[in-house]
Amino acid sequence: MKNPIILIPGPWTGAWVWEPVTRGLRTLGHDVHAITLSGLVDPEADVSTVGLATHVDDVLTLMEKHDLRDVIVVGHSYSGIVAGQVADRAPERVSRTVFVEGFLPHDGKSMLHAFPERVRAGELRLIAENSGRWPIPDVTIVAEGQDLSTRQAQWLVERFVGHPGHTLSEPAVLTRPLEHQRASYIVCSKEHFDGRVSEDVAAMRAVPNWTFHTLDTGHWPMVSAPDRLVSLLTSIAAERV
């Protein structure tokens, strides 16, 4: 019996960004649930009450609604923080957490804590100036060095929705150390010009119940390399570490 898989999109995106991966995994017999998180459907909607905890609850509600167990929870980019908290909140339902170029949750710290203070302050200003949403990046920023064609980058940006800002500034809540989770981390090598990942990610290489994998592509592998991502997720699902 194959594990159910939940695919959580990164910033500005919804379940749609996973469509090629969802199709590929379902073809291989997986029960796949791609989710669109609160505040990422209507770009004009009020997101003042949408926080990080809201997004964690979105995924927990999905698991409970479908009574999913032994789930592999996959989080991309920002949603690594969501996936890690989901696994912390529902360890009886989650078999493995997979971080696809994901930020890691740290108790009491937000995603923006991963950035230097000056950058963090700048992003908070942008959010305040854009009705509480983290604004959509320019297409050149999305495309540069990320293994995307111009058409792919434009396709992404045209569908992006400003990301609810409170989800980036609200601190994560963990009840047990992250290294206690059974997890895998997928490094997208073209995202790292110097070959180095962040210190908190690198530290997890020493954890016995974590595995590390590399895809030679950029930050949006579900767009730039969906077939390879499907193959890798399938291999991770079969791991017994």
Side-chain angles (χ1 to χ4, degrees), residues 139 143 148-158 223:
V139 66
L148 293 169
S149 68
T150 301
R151 175 177 288 186
Q152 287 173 325
Q154 288 173 339
W155 177 80
L156 273 171
V157 172
E158 286 171 0
V223 179

Side-chain angles (χ1 to χ4, degrees), residues 8-13 16-18 21 74-81 98-104 111 114-115 134 137-149 152-153 155-157 160 163 168 185-193 196-198 201 214-226 228-229:
I8 314 175
W12 311 296
T13 57
W16 55 267
V17 81
W18 290 106
V21 174
V74 181
H76 170 240
S77 188
Y78 149 78
S79 286
I81 295 177
V98 181
F99 301 90
V100 181
E101 268 303 318
F103 287 88
L104 302 183
M111 193 199 88
F115 299 105
W134 197 26
D138 185 85
V139 66
T140 57
I141 294 173
V142 173
E144 187 176 4
Q146 298 302 331
D147 204 24
L148 293 169
S149 68
Q152 287 173 325
W155 177 80
L156 273 171
V157 172
F160 277 172
H163 194 88
L168 309 180
Y185 197 98
I186 297 176
V187 177
C188 295
S189 59
K190 292 186 178 178
E191 171 77 351
H192 305 279
F193 302 110
R196 292 184 296 179
V197 296
S198 62
V201 171
T214 300
L215 278 177
D216 184 26
T217 191
H219 189 73
W220 304 93
M222 65 289 296
V223 179
S224 60
R228 282 182 284 153
L229 182 55

Side-chain angles (χ1 to χ4, degrees), residues 3-42:
N3 301 69
I5 298 175
I6 293 177
L7 301 173
I8 314 175
W12 311 296
T13 57
W16 55 267
V17 81
W18 290 106
E19 285 172 3
V21 174
T22 300
R23 286 196 304 270
L25 289 171
R26 285 177 177 162
T27 298
L28 295 173
H30 290 280
D31 177 21
V32 184
H33 302 261
I35 186 172
T36 297
L37 299 171
S38 295
L40 285 152
V41 177
D42 180 0

Side-chain angles (χ1 to χ4, degrees), residues 9-13 37-40 47-56 76-82 85 102-106 108-116 119-128 130-137 161-173 219-220:
W12 311 296
T13 57
L37 299 171
S38 295
L40 285 152
V47 293
S48 59
T49 62
V50 178
L52 179 57
T54 312
H55 284 175
V56 174
H76 170 240
S77 188
Y78 149 78
S79 286
I81 295 177
V82 178
Q85 287 183 95
F103 287 88
L104 302 183
H106 299 285
K109 294 186 177 182
S110 70
M111 193 199 88
L112 288 179
H113 276 94
F115 299 105
V119 175
R120 185 162 68 245
E123 298 301 338
L124 288 171
R125 275 196 305 275
L126 280 175
I127 290 167
N130 286 273
S131 304
R133 290 180 181 268
W134 197 26
I136 295 167
V161 172
H163 194 88
H166 289 316
T167 67
L168 309 180
S169 58
E170 185 177 304
V173 177
H219 189 73
W220 304 93

